[in-house]
Amino acid sequence: MNFVSVRIITSDVQRLVRFYGEITGMPVTVYTEDFAELVTPACTLAIGSTRTLMLFGGDIARPADNHTVIIEFRVGDVDAEFARFSDILRDVTVQKPTTMPWGNRSLLFRDPDGNLVNFFTPVTAEAIRKFDR
């Protein structure tokens, strides 16, 4: 088995495509007005419109209603990313760069749909080993 993707359901695919393209600096491939993907070396972040839910059986998910998942990106320098996006993240920052007890430096913010996003950088030798496997 191979974990390959997380999908965000949204009522505005283009808004999330612009946001994730901008904050990651990576291209987001838009396949249709209802579906796009941000492909990284480790995993894919899929963005699907609410209309795609009908293909899965109906009203099975609600956009902008996530209260349990954190979408995480490992970055080279959390503080530099925070400085680079300070204008974009000003009103959506949950936690400014902070070194966590488990050895990661972490920046928490919300995307336009309110999904929690974590940019993190391992800063202790133990944390670096964990993520370099």
Side-chain angles (χ1 to χ4, degrees):
M1 183 179 298
N2 189 17
F3 181 66
V4 297
S5 177
V6 170
R7 184 178 312 198
I8 300 171
I9 297 299
T10 182
S11 59
D12 192 338
V13 170
Q14 287 306 313
R15 180 179 63 186
L16 288 187
V17 164
R18 283 188 304 274
F19 179 80
Y20 281 101
E22 187 168 4
I23 66 162
T24 64
M26 300 176 72
V28 181
T29 303
V30 178
Y31 294 100
T32 70
E33 64 181 330
D34 292 316
F35 189 78
E37 289 182 327
L38 170 70
V39 178
T40 76
C43 191
T44 297
L45 179 63
I47 302 169
S49 80
T50 53
R51 290 187 294 267
T52 64
L53 296 177
M54 292 305 121
L55 301 171
F56 292 106
D59 186 24
I60 59 169
R62 288 186 304 269
D65 194 30
N66 173 22
H67 299 284
T68 60
V69 174
I70 302 173
I71 302 164
E72 297 189 301
F73 294 91
R74 181 178 173 178
V75 299
D77 184 338
V78 166
D79 294 281
E81 295 295 324
F82 183 60
R84 186 168 75 136
F85 294 116
S86 61
D87 288 345
I88 296 170
L89 301 179
R90 179 180 298 121
D91 296 329
V92 295
T93 299
V94 174
Q95 177 180 288
K96 292 181 180 181
T98 303
T99 301
M100 306 306 285
W102 48 88
N104 291 337
R105 190 138 174 88
S106 176
L107 163 65
L108 291 172
F109 57 94
R110 296 202 181 271
D111 74 10
D113 274 7
N115 297 301
L116 195 56
V117 179
N118 181 25
F119 276 9
F120 74 94
T121 302
V123 294
T124 65
E126 184 178 325
I128 291 169
R129 280 192 301 277
K130 176 182 175 188
F131 289 102
D132 280 343
R133 289 183 205 164

